[in-house]
Amino acid sequence: MDLNMKRIIPIAIGVLVLACGSTADGDTTTAEKATGQSIFNMNCSLCHGRDGKLGLNGAKDLTVSTLTKPEMVAIVRSGKGAMMPYKNVLTPKEIDAVVDHVRTLGKAK
Ligand code: HEC
């Protein structure tokens, strides 16, 4: 009995901390941007760099890409050349978010 409580309480605290950590302002665009950015940093920056310009393994400089959003979504879904397909790695919503992030990278021009 006492032993059970000792195990459950830390888990409950962990869940609480996680819940509070997510955006408290309820601004969905900010939240989606953060998600797209974190997906990008985890999955794409390896070749493209966090700013999209790295170009490792022949990766394109994303900041100068002239592709439309649907074209980018298609490449991320199905892959191209040395870039692997992400349709089994990311959900359509995640792909949408990460492409939206890619499209913000070019705006610094
Ligand atoms: C293994 C390295 C690698 C990773 C990881 C990678 N890419 Fe790529 N990416 C490439 C290469 C190489 C190309 C160029 C493909 C070609 O044209 O032959 C490319 C091309 C692209 C293009 C097309 C750019 C253009 O203008 O033609 C987009 C958009 C893109 N990547 C987005 C992403 C996104 C988003 C992710 C993460 C979900 C990602 N890439 C992960 C290597 C990578």
Side-chain angles (χ1 to χ4, degrees):
M1 177 72 168
D2 202 37
L3 197 77
N4 274 339
M5 286 309 280
K6 274 186 182 152
R7 282 164 129 192
I8 288 164
I9 286 168
I11 293 168
I13 290 170
V15 169
L16 265 176
V17 168
L18 275 178
C20 295
S22 59
T23 52
D25 58 24
D27 183 342
T28 45
T29 42
T30 311
E32 272 165 23
K33 223 165 142 189
T35 317
Q37 187 171 34
S38 52
I39 294 168
F40 186 85
N41 289 344
M42 270 196 290
N43 296 280
C44 324
S45 62
L46 205 70
C47 297
H48 290 288
R50 288 188 173 224
D51 60 0
K53 295 182 185 174
L54 185 62
L56 212 72
N57 297 318
K60 295 271 173 73
D61 180 346
L62 297 177
T63 64
V64 299
S65 178
T66 53
L67 296 178
T68 63
K69 186 176 171 183
E71 285 169 337
M72 284 189 174
V73 168
I75 288 176
V76 176
R77 277 183 54 82
S78 308
K80 195 180 174 195
M83 183 174 151
M84 63 178 260
Y86 281 88
K87 60 174 177 281
N88 297 324
V89 181
L90 302 172
T91 66
K93 227 177 150 181
E94 286 171 331
I95 290 176
D96 192 75
V98 79
V99 167
D100 276 343
H101 175 68
V102 166
R103 301 185 72 76
T104 66
L105 296 174
K107 284 191 185 144
K109 272 183 289 194

